[in-house]
Amino acid sequence: MFMAVAFPCQARQIPAVEGLEALRKVFSGVADFTADISQEKRLSLMKRALTMNGTVRFRKPDLFYLELNAPYASRMVLRDNTIEQVLGTGGERNRIVLPPEQGLKRWFSRLAAPITALPEGVGVQADATGSLYTVTITPRAKGQVRELVISFLEDGTIRKLVIVERNGDRAMMTFKKVRRNVGLTDRDFRLE
């Protein structure tokens, strides 16, 4: 018993379909969530990472909101495959449209039914360490996202999200104070 406590659990690789099905199951009962985050952003042109804090919100089927506090203040809304961003406090806006196959609605529609086979056009790897799952999704089509890594607990709590872009930029978000099914409305996803 002493040896089991002294050595932490090792991650074990699990079949990709099993990892995606675990992800589907935990998100099937989540309509929305909000959380505090710490984000480490490494731009391909910089040697050191930027560390930021803020909040995120998500609502099915296709809304994601990110607000970062000063000194890197910005707000971003992802509606399916369209990103709208307000930089700083001055309100300068950017708009980026991702390929349709990388939209949130498409991904969550795939998670609506039990997963028995890998979806076309993506590579998937999965592992489990106790109740923590990590699923790595690699879109094969050209687009902004090269890799997406989601770490989550069996109860549906997201722990970490890593987004690696094709240009070499990398963002890692660590989630804290996750609150699920709080009844988020459209007002919670406005940039104003």
Side-chain angles (χ1 to χ4, degrees), residues 112-174:
I115 297 173
T116 58
L118 291 179
E120 285 186 39
V122 296
V124 178
Q125 292 181 342
D127 64 58
T129 305
S131 66
L132 178 69
Y133 287 83
T134 301
V135 175
T136 303
I137 301 169
T138 310
R140 292 190 180 115
K142 297 292 183 210
Q144 188 73 12
V145 178
R146 183 175 71 200
E147 182 178 84
L148 180 70
V149 182
I150 305 168
S151 295
F152 57 95
L153 296 174
E154 286 177 341
D155 71 358
T157 303
I158 297 177
R159 288 289 195 202
K160 191 184 307 181
L161 175 67
V162 179
I163 302 169
V164 181
E165 299 177 24
R166 294 208 184 271
N167 64 3
D169 292 356
R170 181 180 190 269
M172 180 177 69
M173 293 180 213
T174 304

Side-chain angles (χ1 to χ4, degrees), residues 56-140:
V56 295
R57 298 180 195 123
F58 170 78
R59 189 179 78 185
K60 283 182 181 174
D62 64 353
L63 284 172
F64 178 81
Y65 175 86
L66 169 66
E67 182 170 356
L68 297 174
N69 303 328
Y72 306 107
S74 68
R75 296 180 314 268
M76 180 209 68
V77 172
L78 172 60
R79 285 180 172 77
D80 191 25
N81 68 326
T82 303
I83 298 170
E84 293 179 64
Q85 186 176 31
V86 176
L87 301 172
T89 56
E92 182 183 327
R93 289 184 176 249
N94 289 327
R95 187 171 190 261
I96 301 168
V97 178
L98 301 172
E101 64 271 8
Q102 292 185 10
L104 286 177
K105 194 177 286 186
R106 178 174 181 254
W107 287 106
F108 281 97
S109 68
R110 288 184 173 198
L111 295 176
I115 297 173
T116 58
L118 291 179
E120 285 186 39
V122 296
V124 178
Q125 292 181 342
D127 64 58
T129 305
S131 66
L132 178 69
Y133 287 83
T134 301
V135 175
T136 303
I137 301 169
T138 310
R140 292 190 180 115

Side-chain angles (χ1 to χ4, degrees), residues 37-48:
I37 62 154
S38 291
Q39 175 175 293
E40 184 179 285
K41 180 85 173 182
R42 183 172 299 279
L43 303 175
S44 60
L45 301 175
M46 297 179 69
K47 290 185 178 181
R48 66 182 189 102

